[in-house]
Amino acid sequence: MNTGQAHWHILGAGAIGSLFADALSTDGRQVSLILRDGVHGKIRTQAVERGDLVSEKHFKTTGPRGHTGISHLLVTTKAYDVCSAIDSVVHRLNPDCNIVLLSNGMGFQEQVLASLPSLNIYCGTTTEGAHLLAAGHVRHAGSGETRIGRAAKIADDRRPLWFHQWERAIDNSVWDSDIQPALWTKLAINCVINPLTALNRCHNGELGASKSLANQVAPLRDEIAAVCRAQGHAEIAEALPRITAAVIQATSDNRSSMLQDIDAGRLTEIDYITGYLLEVADQHSIDTPLNRALFEAIKSRAH
Ligand code: PAF
């Protein structure tokens, strides 16, 4: 069994990965970064800005091909990279490895569970705000909440030993004995905000401030609510108007991750956001024409 002395390997050292690496290492955990072009043993300096304070840390890096075993793996890559990134280190995963999936979107959790059924797979969602100012330099834009639970439903839903360290290291980290409602809430919010802001090239706040955009939000949200309800999340469906309005307001100055991806010429996570919603809608024979139109519009813009 894994003891509490976790050595965390971080796969995906973007804004969120760097923020968590910094927090875990501040708490005294050993943390290594797995970089695509990483050279075993090479040190990478990472800076995290919080207001006027800048914390600089030096992390060991390794490439995927390294030889040392991995006992605790935090995955914060883009959704479409999760499976291939884990695949690239699969030969290094200890037989009782703990893997935490903290990427946006849904769908990859089931894929990882199916491909690694004997490992301990956890997943979650975070509303921590962070963005990369440059490679290895992150700004913490706002505190949020991080919810983690087991990816598979099993009888033992107690928090694992390593999570006690997370509770200390990561502000507002919460163990969820059923993580599905948290994942669905985040998915629903992303389905509303991400494609609309990406296609209209606007900050999140415009979805509340502009009458024509606000008029698009309401019917889109209703389609998403119908899928949540069919999936057994009636409470999310009921709360969705209030939750989306609150997130739009709280993140009004943000450019959504999908808008940023399109601007940077990256793939978007649409397959794991609206694409996942459409799959579930189809399973329940629910019509979601507005979501489908946004999905297709994003697909035709992005790669
Ligand atoms: O993907 C994003 O950009 C974020 O999840 C959210 C909540 C929509 C805020 O920008």
Side-chain angles (χ1 to χ4, degrees):
M1 207 183 95
N2 280 315
T3 68
Q5 292 310 311
H7 174 178
W8 284 92
H9 282 80
I10 315 275
L11 199 44
I16 291 294
S18 302
L19 194 68
F20 278 67
D22 180 77
L24 288 163
S25 133
T26 300
D27 188 54
R29 298 306 108 222
Q30 240 195 97
V31 177
S32 301
L33 309 178
I34 304 176
L35 307 177
R36 265 198 202 105
D37 52 355
V39 176
H40 187 71
K42 199 169 164 190
I43 300 296
R44 172 153 150 171
T45 303
Q46 297 260 118
V48 176
E49 270 186 43
R50 289 184 179 82
D52 292 340
L53 290 177
V54 181
S55 124
E56 245 186 32
K57 296 249 161 52
H58 309 288
F59 294 102
K60 279 193 184 148
T61 70
T62 160
R65 274 215 258 268
H67 298 297
T68 49
I70 296 175
S71 62
H72 295 75
L73 181 68
L74 170 61
V75 184
T76 53
T77 63
K78 288 284 180 187
Y80 47 77
D81 275 336
V82 168
C83 292
S84 58
I86 294 178
D87 241 25
S88 72
V89 295
V90 80
H91 59 288
R92 299 177 58 184
L93 303 179
N94 290 352
D96 57 353
C97 185
N98 295 289
I99 303 182
V100 182
L101 309 172
L102 203 53
S103 302
N104 246 355
M106 287 183 78
F108 56 81
Q109 296 91 345
E110 294 150 34
Q111 293 165 0
V112 174
L113 266 177
S115 65
L116 299 169
S118 63
L119 301 189
N120 304 302
I121 315 290
Y122 303 88
C123 57
T125 173
T126 184
T127 53
E128 285 289 344
H131 45 260
L132 271 185
L133 298 176
H137 195 148
V138 173
R139 176 173 293 145
H140 187 213
S143 297
E145 185 184 65
T146 301
R147 306 192 75 92
I148 304 287
R150 287 183 194 275
K153 281 204 168 125
I154 59 168
D156 180 4
D157 61 6
R158 283 171 304 173
R159 66 197 69 193
L161 276 180
W162 59 263
F163 193 75
H164 295 278
Q165 295 166 355
W166 270 50
E167 282 175 314
R168 247 199 353 250
I170 292 152
D171 288 343
N172 300 322
S173 46
V174 178
W175 175 254
D176 248 334
S177 54
D178 178 8
I179 194 67
Q180 290 298 317
L183 295 182
W184 269 90
T185 303
K186 185 73 190 319
L187 181 85
I189 292 166
N190 284 146
C191 284
V192 174
I193 297 181
N194 293 29
L196 280 180
T197 50
L199 290 167
N200 292 287
R201 314 197 56 70
C202 63
H203 286 89
N204 295 357
E206 282 296 299
L207 300 185
S210 138
K211 203 162 179 217
S212 71
L213 287 175
N215 286 342
Q216 292 181 51
V217 166
L220 181 69
R221 201 186 52 207
D222 290 346
E223 282 187 9
I224 298 163
V227 182
C228 290
R229 212 172 275 115
Q231 192 66 7
H233 299 298
E235 70 298 345
I236 299 175
E238 299 317 316
L240 207 49
R242 178 180 53 75
I243 298 172
T244 41
V247 175
I248 287 170
Q249 202 188 0
T251 64
S252 60
D253 292 335
N254 286 18
R255 292 162 73 249
S256 72
S257 54
M258 197 168 286
L259 176 56
Q260 291 182 47
D261 287 340
I262 287 187
D263 278 353
R266 290 188 292 260
L267 273 175
T268 73
E269 296 178 308
I270 193 77
D271 288 336
Y272 296 87
I273 296 176
T274 310
Y276 184 81
L277 182 94
L278 294 178
E279 270 175 37
V280 178
D282 281 350
Q283 287 162 17
H284 294 290
S285 307
I286 295 175
D287 252 4
T288 48
L290 299 173
N291 280 279
R292 192 162 295 282
L294 289 179
F295 176 77
E296 275 155 18
I298 294 285
K299 289 296 254 190
S300 66
R301 279 191 78 111
H303 318 265

